Amino acid sequence: EDVDYIDDFGRNLRPEFKEFVRRIWESAGFLLTLTSNGGRPKGELDLMAQIASSIAKLTNGYVVVQDDNVFHRPFGIYSCEEF
């Protein structure tokens, strides 16, 4: 299941880096999810992007964007610096 998830959302990754992400994903033991169940008030996406990037930086993790172009980038897996 994790392999499929990374294959689906990691299309922006080089194959060798995708394999690295698979290995660290399996060893991490946890996943944090940031979602919005409401509308899109002004500034919400900017706030969510900052929170996601900060969490990724603090945990040495990555941001998975599951919806195309919501954050002005295609869905994919991004480091906190890229995001």
Side-chain angles (χ1 to χ4, degrees):
E1 182 176 313
D2 293 342
V3 171
D4 292 338
Y5 185 86
I6 293 169
D7 280 342
D8 287 345
F9 291 107
R11 295 179 199 168
N12 62 315
L13 303 176
R14 296 181 321 275
E16 62 277 4
F17 192 68
K18 192 183 294 187
E19 184 56 37
F20 169 74
V21 170
R22 276 193 198 106
R23 286 195 312 272
I24 63 172
W25 181 292
E26 291 171 358
S27 68
F30 65 93
L31 168 70
L32 301 172
T33 303
L34 179 64
T35 62
S36 171
N37 294 325
R40 293 281 180 252
K42 186 176 181 178
E44 179 187 17
L45 293 178
D46 292 333
L47 177 61
M48 288 181 69
Q50 289 298 318
I51 291 169
S53 180
S54 295
I55 291 170
K57 187 173 185 175
L58 289 169
T59 61
N60 295 317
Y62 292 85
V63 177
V64 179
V65 176
Q66 296 179 328
D67 294 307
D68 209 23
N69 293 316
V70 171
F71 296 103
H72 307 292
R73 61 183 43 82
F75 65 84
I77 299 173
Y78 299 93
S79 69
C80 60
E81 295 84 13
E82 292 173 305
F83 193 73

